[in-house]
Amino acid sequence: MNQNRGDLSGGLIPIPSNAPGAPPPAVVAIPVAINWQGGGGAPAGPDWRRTFAAIWRYRWLIGLTTVVGILAGVVAGQLIHPLYQAQATIWIDQGDPRNPGPAWAGRGDRLLGENAWSDLLTSFAVLENAVKSQRLYLSFKNPRDASAFAAFDVTPDVRPGTYRLDVDDNGQSYTLATLEGAPLERGELGGPVGAREGFNWTPVPSSLPAGHSIVFGVSTPRDAAERLGAGLEVTQDEAGSFIRVALKGSSPTHLASTLNAVAERFVEVADTLKRQRLTEVRKITEEQLAVAQGNLRTAESALQDFQIRTTTLPGGGTSAGRRSEAGVGDEASSGFFNMQVEKEQLVRDRAAMAQYLASAAGRADSTPNTQMLEAIPSARQAPALAQALTELSGKRADLRAFDYKYLDDYPPKKRLADEIAQLERRTIPDLVRGVMRDDDARVAALGGQLGQQAATLRQVPPRLIEAARLQRAVSIADDLYTSLEQRYQEAHLTENAAVADVRVLDLAVAPQHPLRNTAPGLLFLGFVAGCGLGLVAAVVLDRLDGRMRRAEEVSGDLGLTILGTVPHLNRGRGRTIKGEESIETIEALRGLRVTLLQAFDRVGAMALTITSPGPGDGKSF
């Protein structure tokens, strides 16, 4: 055993006997354990003394692993970039439904619902433009190669993948290949590169030094837009007036520019959609105005022709004759003519509405012509039907505006088409049937009233009734034309003076402080991991060490009893042993002798042999 920790001694120590006539000494081999420092039984539970001794013995290993862990944390902190976050705020003008303002100001009629603005923000119409402006479809292995891609762009048939551009040693030609090395194109510098791969790129020769190699990745703008949309964090307040957009990444400047491009494109698309919608409303109103103008001219022409035909009849061409004919049944005819004209108008209106219902009940793929209802007075005067027609015109304008930007599978567009179909196929026909029932009741009532006054007015020339009917038709057509002309003027002013519903309230700025800096955490983790690994290694190496270094190992592992202890004497060169140390050693040996005599109670001499596994363990002492 090592003298510094203890020796396993089993042997024969000659102990003289003072008894006279004692027999010769007997040689008995007795296993004895002598500890040079101290002894005791094996402790219960974890042997913490042994663990702490192993940690102290292998402190150099623990220190080495701790230093290696700290260095690994420093390197990891340099490789893993800090995470930044940029934010922008967009304001949405929801308007005041209680005070929408003048119609020409474009207020009170919102372009989209509260929840649809977030869908528009993450649509491809917004994100793809931002991707193209920031060239997010392009990535470099080495950021210093960005100058060579200053004029890089892609065509719609681009082939995504990772490419490598190699410039020859003379700096005159290049080779475009895949990342695996398969050549795709060779040519002279100064011309287009990668046209067959969908690249619109003519690099400047000075940006490609001789013998240089560039590795870059290209994706489609649609794929890059999907990645950008997945990284955007869009939140909207409960009132729907503010949208906050956040984007995380490792480059603060790049984050701010990308987020501002998205926000500005969002405002541009929203403004374009609103203007297109207002333009469609103006065009629809213009078409309706043209129809109303034609009806007015027809009614005026019919009245003019009637007056020309009746001007030569007795009393027809002069005001006196007309007054004499009108005076025949002036009192009775004051309401008769109006009722007769109203009844005929109701009959015509009902026939026109029946024709509309017949067209609406046709094939499922046909679209009912709701403009027929605009020229029917009964339909126009019914509040519910008039409101439904106005709502239908607005939704059709919205659908036309969506056709310019989105495909048929765009959810808001599909939802709007379903609402239009619901109005055309069910809501408006049901309202028309209700108006027809009201007209039937009115016609029946007018028929009874007209029968009572018919006898009184039989002497009145029929041309007076015809004149009143034609005059009424002119009046109705004039009212409709005036109303539509006013709506057209309002739509025209709204189109020219439209105010955008959205605008960027807070532009994104490059963040100065990272959202989460992992360098201190990695440094601490490296320290803990290195120190922990060293501690575990020290304990494992101690367990694998077969040497016995403590008294507990002798008594616990070998089952030997420790009979005594002898202190360690450091007898180095030039060092003298002090008196106290000598006395302590002598007393320890005497105590050992007494213990041996008591442990082996016998008469006669006892011989013990001092031995150890190897030289230099303290046997000679």
Side-chain angles (χ1 to χ4, degrees):
M1 299 293 291
N2 192 326
Q3 184 182 359
N4 293 333
R5 289 303 176 105
D7 287 341
L8 173 61
S9 302
L12 303 175
I13 299 178
I15 299 177
S17 176
N18 298 327
V27 179
V28 181
I30 303 174
V32 178
I34 301 177
N35 185 11
W36 293 97
Q37 287 187 340
D47 193 354
W48 294 110
R49 294 178 57 188
R50 178 176 179 178
T51 302
F52 292 145
I55 293 174
W56 178 254
R57 186 165 62 253
Y58 292 103
R59 59 186 179 276
W60 60 271
L61 178 61
I62 298 174
L64 179 61
T65 55
T66 302
V67 172
V68 172
I70 293 175
L71 293 178
V74 173
V75 174
Q78 296 294 328
L79 296 178
I80 300 177
H81 299 285
L83 186 64
Y84 296 88
Q85 182 180 21
Q87 293 181 342
T89 304
I90 300 173
W91 173 69
I92 301 175
D93 185 10
Q94 297 290 353
D96 188 359
R98 297 172 298 180
N99 184 22
W104 57 266
R107 303 288 184 180
D109 191 7
R110 290 177 287 181
L111 177 64
L112 297 176
E114 295 178 0
N115 299 326
W117 291 106
S118 299
D119 296 334
L120 179 61
L121 179 62
T122 56
S123 64
F124 292 119
V126 175
L127 297 183
E128 281 194 16
N129 185 273
V131 165
K132 293 178 180 179
S133 63
Q134 299 296 317
R135 293 190 302 173
L136 301 181
Y137 51 79
L138 184 62
S139 60
F140 318 98
K141 184 177 181 180
N142 189 352
R144 291 178 295 181
D145 297 331
S147 60
F149 295 87
F152 187 89
D153 198 2
V154 295
T155 60
D157 55 349
V158 61
R159 297 179 183 178
T162 305
Y163 299 89
R164 188 179 69 194
L165 183 69
D166 299 323
V167 183
D168 64 353
D169 297 335
N170 297 327
Q172 301 295 327
S173 61
Y174 69 90
T175 300
L176 181 65
T178 62
L179 185 62
E180 293 77 14
L184 300 174
E185 180 181 295
R186 291 184 175 88
E188 299 293 331
L189 291 179
V193 176
R196 291 182 299 178
E197 309 304 321
F199 302 164
N200 185 10
W201 184 30
T202 304
V204 180
S206 59
S207 63
L208 300 173
H212 188 57
S213 180
I214 298 177
V215 177
F216 62 97
V218 180
S219 62
T220 62
R222 178 60 59 90
D223 294 339
E226 290 181 355
R227 293 193 299 269
L228 177 60
L232 288 177
E233 297 179 4
V234 183
T235 56
Q236 192 170 2
D237 63 324
E238 295 181 358
S241 299
F242 295 95
I243 295 181
R244 292 174 177 83
V245 192
L247 185 62
K248 297 178 181 179
S250 58
S251 176
T253 305
H254 182 69
L255 286 176
S257 60
T258 301
L259 201 56
N260 288 334
V262 172
E264 292 171 358
R265 177 59 180 172
F266 171 70
V267 173
E268 180 182 351
V269 171
D271 183 64
T272 302
L273 288 177
K274 182 172 184 177
R275 292 188 180 277
Q276 290 177 350
R277 179 178 182 274
L278 295 176
T279 301
E280 292 299 326
V281 171
R282 193 260 305 165
K283 289 181 179 180
I284 293 175
T285 307
E286 187 177 4
E287 294 174 359
Q288 295 175 350
L289 181 62
V291 174
Q293 186 178 16
N295 294 336
L296 177 60
R297 289 177 179 176
T298 301
E300 291 175 345
S301 299
L303 179 59
Q304 183 179 5
D305 293 341
F306 175 79
Q307 292 176 348
I308 292 175
R309 289 196 314 267
T310 60
T311 188
T312 58
L313 297 178
T318 63
S319 60
R322 288 193 295 271
R323 284 196 303 270
S324 63
E325 292 179 347
V328 175
D330 186 47
E331 295 180 359
S333 63
S334 59
F336 179 84
F337 293 143
N338 292 333
M339 289 188 293
Q340 182 69 25
V341 171
E342 183 179 0
K343 178 182 177 182
E344 294 178 359
Q345 183 64 44
L346 291 175
V347 173
R348 288 194 297 270
D349 292 349
R350 190 186 186 286
M353 287 186 287
Q355 182 181 359
Y356 168 78
L357 292 178
S359 65
R363 295 187 306 168
D365 57 348
S366 62
T367 302
N369 185 11
T370 54
Q371 292 185 358
M372 297 173 56
L373 300 176
E374 293 283 348
I376 301 175
S378 297
R380 191 177 64 257
Q381 294 173 1
L385 183 56
Q387 183 179 0
L389 292 175
T390 303
E391 183 180 357
L392 178 62
S393 299
K395 291 183 179 298
R396 283 180 175 174
D398 293 343
L399 184 61
R400 291 187 183 182
F402 278 157
D403 288 337
Y404 291 100
K405 291 293 180 180
Y406 304 102
L407 300 177
D408 293 338
D409 57 350
Y410 182 59
K413 183 179 178 182
K414 293 175 63 178
R415 184 168 56 252
L416 185 60
D418 294 339
E419 293 174 358
I420 293 175
Q422 178 74 8
L423 285 173
E424 292 177 342
R425 295 293 179 185
R426 184 173 179 179
T427 305
I428 293 180
D430 291 342
L431 294 175
V432 170
R433 294 186 185 96
V435 174
M436 291 177 64
R437 288 192 295 269
D438 296 339
D439 288 350
D440 291 340
R442 182 61 179 165
V443 168
L446 289 175
Q449 296 176 7
L450 289 173
Q452 296 176 1
Q453 299 184 12
T456 307
L457 299 177
R458 292 186 187 278
Q459 302 299 326
V460 179
R463 63 176 178 269
L464 291 180
I465 300 176
E466 180 69 14
R469 183 185 66 80
L470 294 175
Q471 188 66 39
R472 177 68 176 270
V474 171
S475 177
I476 292 174
D478 183 68
D479 292 342
L480 178 61
Y481 175 77
T482 303
S483 176
L484 290 177
E485 185 178 17
Q486 182 180 1
R487 289 173 54 185
Y488 171 75
Q489 295 297 335
E490 291 179 354
H492 185 69
L493 289 174
T494 302
E495 181 184 7
N496 295 331
V499 179
D501 289 336
V502 297
R503 66 188 65 177
V504 180
L505 185 63
D506 295 325
L507 285 172
V509 296
Q512 301 297 324
H513 303 286
L515 183 66
R516 184 175 64 253
N517 191 1
T518 58
L522 292 174
L523 185 62
F524 178 75
L525 181 61
F527 169 77
V528 172
C531 184
L533 182 62
L535 292 174
V536 172
V539 174
V540 170
L541 291 176
D542 179 71
R543 298 300 180 184
L544 297 178
D545 189 0
R547 292 176 294 179
M548 294 185 180
R549 302 177 181 274
R550 297 178 303 113
E552 291 81 353
E553 298 176 359
V554 176
S555 60
D557 298 343
L558 299 181
L560 299 178
T561 302
I562 299 177
L563 300 180
T565 61
V566 177
H568 172 68
L569 288 179
N570 187 4
R571 296 186 298 174
R573 293 182 179 180
R575 184 180 184 277
T576 60
I577 300 176
K578 299 179 180 180
E580 296 179 356
E581 295 177 344
S582 177
I583 295 174
E584 182 182 359
T585 303
I586 294 172
E587 290 298 328
L589 292 176
R590 289 176 179 175
L592 176 61
R593 181 180 62 180
V594 173
T595 302
L596 289 174
L597 290 175
Q598 292 178 352
F600 304 99
D601 187 11
R602 57 173 294 177
V603 179
M606 179 184 299
L608 298 178
T609 298
I610 307 299
T611 184
S612 68
D617 290 336
K619 295 183 295 296
S620 59
F621 174 80

